[in-house]
Amino acid sequence: MTSDYDRLRNGIEFMTAYVSGNDLLAAYVAERRREDPMATEALMDGAAAICALLLHKMARDVGKTEHELLQELARGTHRHERQTGE
């Protein structure tokens, strides 16, 4: 069983590699897979845990529900894709 601390640590490491660029992200994921073939599941779980924590904090900070923020993100992404043709 993985503790919340471990889940968040995995998420922080994964997101740090993500924001550092594709090359670093690819190297990080490859290294984790060499260490543990099930690492992808742990990375996804960690990313979800950190996203949930950040979403909860944002909702509290702006006085909206997590669901409202997710809807706003979905609408904004959809609008952006229509405008840019992606």
Side-chain angles (χ1 to χ4, degrees), residues 8-78:
L8 289 174
R9 184 180 46 80
N10 280 335
I12 291 167
E13 287 178 4
F14 182 66
M15 295 308 294
T16 299
Y18 179 84
V19 299
S20 298
N22 287 337
D23 292 340
L24 186 57
L25 177 62
Y28 174 75
V29 171
E31 180 182 330
R32 291 291 307 267
R33 282 187 183 145
R34 276 192 301 276
E35 294 170 0
D36 177 8
M38 298 300 292
T40 304
E41 185 176 313
L43 293 176
M44 290 187 326
D45 180 62
I50 196 167
C51 286
L53 181 67
L54 292 170
L55 182 62
H56 180 73
K57 182 187 178 341
M58 280 181 63
R60 191 176 24 152
D61 289 350
V62 300
K64 296 183 179 184
T65 67
E66 289 96 341
H67 187 72
E68 288 171 316
L69 289 176
L70 290 171
Q71 286 180 328
E72 288 177 12
L73 286 169
R75 282 192 299 267
T77 301
H78 180 70

